[in-house]
Amino acid sequence: MQDTASEPRAQECFLQQLAAMKLYAAPLDFRAIAAEFDVPTEFSPELHEAAANATDRHAGERIDARDIPLVTIDPAGSMDLDQAVCIEKHGSGYRVFYAIADVAAFIEPGSPLHEESLVRGQTIYLPDEPARLHPEELSEGSASLLPDVDRPAVLWTFDLDANGELASTHIERAVVHSVARLDYDGVQADLDAGRVHPSIALLPEVGELRAASSLRRRAINLRVPSVRVVELDDGQFELVIEPRHKVMDYNSEISLLTGMAAGEMMREASVGFLRTLRPAEESAESTFRTEARALGYSLPDGANIGLFLHTVNAATPRGMAVMREAQKLLRGAGYVDLTEKEPEVHAGIGGHYSHVTAPLRRLIDRYATEVCLALCKGEPVPEWVEQDAPRVIKTMGRTSQLANSVDRACLNLTEATVLQPWVGHNFNGVILRTDQENDEARVFVIDPPVLADCLGHPDEPREATMSLIRADVEEREVVFAWPAD
């Protein structure tokens, strides 16, 4: 099995750490995709006004936690800030403070804002601009954990032992005050230079411990690099594939810790909403092993895939391809209302899990958080949460499928646009798997990094030169052929 320091064949700099390909074809129109999939991208004036006028419904219930020096860590320029963190030493272990935007405080049950969120379900991330769950007045304003202002929040407090294992959990409504809005690039640069913000000085230590914990280390934890499309001043576009910084993984571990703690609370009480995912089928695992070996990795039959993925450097083209193909192991995710069904473990997490850390972007987080608050206080779950539960589950299922479809359409459009001028040219890549019966294959082109279908096939997966024979922007389709002309 490869370790992170010895990528197979060669360390391939992922297009100089921050890949950028200028698109000289027609401008990319992601609004057309939004229209095609009926994604609502605007709010009515009435909803904007309601969001602007919304106030904290739980103002009298909050503790004052403004003395905790919380910070947010998000992509540069983000304004919809769901989470803020601060980590301290606590005896031989750690105390983690994790503040989550209290969106429920601004949305009155039965109100137009409430009803609109039950329709939208979640923010749909188009590359040029997201189709938001809530109006900007909330998601980027009064409900966002922006710096240097007091904000209502739901405050999770975790005590971890010296090994990073969870010892205790507490959740309550609070007033918080973020002292800094940090971004991933800046935090990673600070980590590399040894000058990290004191509120997160322990984040790498705790993140490493959590990733190595007994429940997490065998889970299928994907680290897929993000892709952004940026419009330039001259009307061209730039496809920016961002490296997966370690700080992203560390920050994700705090979110996963919270979701797992919430999931256990709900499982024990047999009430609430779990995010579920059954283990991958044997055939899917076999296919993935074939693809990983074709990309140059050592992944013997029987070796744990979760442990293998921990060793992969996702900031290389081959590492990105491994992570992209591993997504197929996590198909079939869903949500379970524990008042209706038995709890199920999330195979991609390694335990019971609930979505509670992104209420500005996902509907169900608002509801699951209310369950946890009630359980911690020993009170009944709010009636509006119970009444809406069937609709919430249905909406999340529908909009999760919608988000996946939109993601695929945007990626396919971008790849077809990038490659259209190069139809007829040859590319170096890897045949990941072959289908002799249908005379086709699945291929990975290294530069630009693209996964696509291929006509023709060798006898077995191998490195190969292939011809681009189709890049249809209207159909959002890219096809290669082997052997190359």
Side-chain angles (χ1 to χ4, degrees), residues 14 17-19 75 185 224-228 240-245 248 314-315:
F14 198 12
Q17 287 290 308
L18 189 64
D185 291 342
V224 182
S226 299
V227 178
R228 289 191 299 121
V240 179
I241 307 176
E242 301 171 330
R244 179 76 186 187
H245 292 313
M248 296 178 178

Coordinates of all heavy atoms in Angstrom, one line a residue, residues 14 17-19 75 185 224-228 240-245 248 314-315:
F14 N -0.3 19.0 -9.0 CA -1.7 19.1 -9.6 C -1.8 20.5 -10.3 O -2.4 21.4 -9.7 CB -2.7 19.0 -8.5 CG -4.1 18.7 -9.0 CD1 -4.3 18.3 -10.3 CD2 -5.2 18.7 -8.1 CE1 -5.6 18.0 -10.7 CE2 -6.4 18.5 -8.5 CZ -6.7 18.1 -9.8
Q17 N -0.2 23.2 -8.1 CA -0.9 23.4 -6.9 C -2.3 24.0 -7.1 O -3.3 23.7 -6.4 CB -0.1 24.2 -5.8 CG 1.0 23.4 -5.2 CD 0.5 22.3 -4.3 OE1 -0.3 22.6 -3.4 NE2 1.0 21.1 -4.5
L18 N -2.4 25.0 -7.9 CA -3.7 25.6 -8.2 C -3.9 25.6 -9.7 O -3.4 26.5 -10.4 CB -3.7 27.1 -7.6 CG -5.1 27.8 -7.6 CD1 -6.0 27.0 -6.7 CD2 -5.0 29.2 -7.2
A19 N -4.6 24.6 -10.2 CA -4.7 24.5 -11.6 C -5.7 25.5 -12.2 O -6.7 25.8 -11.6 CB -5.2 23.1 -11.9
P75 N -14.0 28.7 2.7 CA -13.4 29.2 1.4 C -13.3 30.7 1.4 O -14.2 31.4 2.0 CB -14.3 28.7 0.3 CG -15.0 27.5 0.9 CD -15.1 27.8 2.4
D185 N -6.9 28.7 2.6 CA -5.6 29.0 2.0 C -4.7 29.7 3.1 O -3.5 29.3 3.3 CB -5.7 29.9 0.8 CG -6.2 29.1 -0.4 OD1 -6.3 27.9 -0.4 OD2 -6.7 29.8 -1.4
V224 N -12.2 14.9 -1.9 CA -12.3 15.3 -3.4 C -11.9 16.8 -3.5 O -12.6 17.6 -2.9 CB -13.6 15.0 -4.0 CG1 -13.6 15.3 -5.5 CG2 -14.0 13.5 -3.7
P225 N -10.9 17.1 -4.3 CA -10.6 18.6 -4.5 C -11.8 19.3 -5.1 O -12.6 18.8 -5.9 CB -9.5 18.5 -5.5 CG -8.9 17.2 -5.4 CD -10.0 16.3 -5.0
S226 N -12.0 20.6 -4.7 CA -13.1 21.4 -5.1 C -12.7 22.0 -6.5 O -11.6 22.2 -6.9 CB -13.3 22.6 -4.2 OG -13.7 22.1 -2.9
V227 N -13.8 22.2 -7.3 CA -13.6 22.8 -8.6 C -14.5 24.1 -8.7 O -15.6 24.1 -8.3 CB -14.1 21.9 -9.7 CG1 -14.0 22.5 -11.1 CG2 -13.3 20.6 -9.7
R228 N -13.8 25.2 -9.1 CA -14.5 26.5 -9.2 C -14.4 27.0 -10.7 O -13.3 26.8 -11.3 CB -14.0 27.5 -8.3 CG -14.3 27.3 -6.8 CD -14.0 28.5 -6.0 NE -12.6 28.8 -6.0 CZ -12.1 30.0 -6.4 NH1 -12.9 30.9 -6.9 NH2 -10.8 30.2 -6.4
V240 N -10.8 26.5 -12.0 CA -9.8 26.5 -10.9 C -10.1 25.2 -10.1 O -11.1 25.1 -9.5 CB -9.9 27.7 -10.1 CG1 -8.9 27.7 -8.9 CG2 -9.7 28.9 -10.9
I241 N -9.1 24.3 -10.1 CA -9.2 23.1 -9.3 C -8.3 23.3 -8.1 O -7.1 23.4 -8.2 CB -8.8 21.9 -10.1 CG1 -9.6 21.8 -11.4 CG2 -9.0 20.6 -9.3 CD1 -9.2 20.7 -12.3
E242 N -8.9 23.3 -6.9 CA -8.2 23.7 -5.7 C -7.6 22.5 -5.0 O -8.2 21.5 -4.9 CB -9.2 24.4 -4.8 CG -9.8 25.7 -5.4 CD -10.9 26.3 -4.5 OE1 -11.5 25.5 -3.8 OE2 -11.0 27.5 -4.6
P243 N -6.4 22.6 -4.5 CA -5.8 21.5 -3.8 C -6.6 21.3 -2.5 O -7.2 22.2 -1.9 CB -4.4 22.0 -3.5 CG -4.5 23.5 -3.5 CD -5.5 23.8 -4.5
R244 N -6.5 20.0 -2.0 CA -7.1 19.7 -0.8 C -6.2 19.9 0.4 O -5.3 19.1 0.7 CB -7.6 18.2 -0.8 CG -8.3 17.7 0.5 CD -9.7 18.2 0.6 NE -10.3 17.9 1.8 CZ -11.6 18.1 2.1 NH1 -12.3 18.6 1.2 NH2 -12.0 17.8 3.3
H245 N -6.3 21.1 1.0 CA -5.4 21.4 2.1 C -5.7 20.4 3.3 O -6.8 20.0 3.6 CB -5.6 22.8 2.6 CG -5.2 23.8 1.6 ND1 -3.9 23.8 1.0 CD2 -5.8 25.0 1.2 CE1 -3.8 24.8 0.2 NE2 -4.9 25.6 0.3
M248 N -8.4 21.5 5.7 CA -9.8 21.1 5.3 C -10.2 19.8 6.0 O -11.3 19.7 6.5 CB -9.9 21.0 3.8 CG -9.7 22.3 3.1 SD -9.8 22.0 1.3 CE -9.6 23.6 0.6
A314 N -4.7 13.5 -2.4 CA -5.8 13.9 -3.3 C -5.5 15.1 -4.1 O -6.2 15.5 -5.0 CB -7.1 14.2 -2.5
A315 N -4.3 15.7 -3.9 CA -3.9 16.9 -4.6 C -3.1 16.6 -5.9 O -2.5 17.5 -6.4 CB -3.1 17.8 -3.7

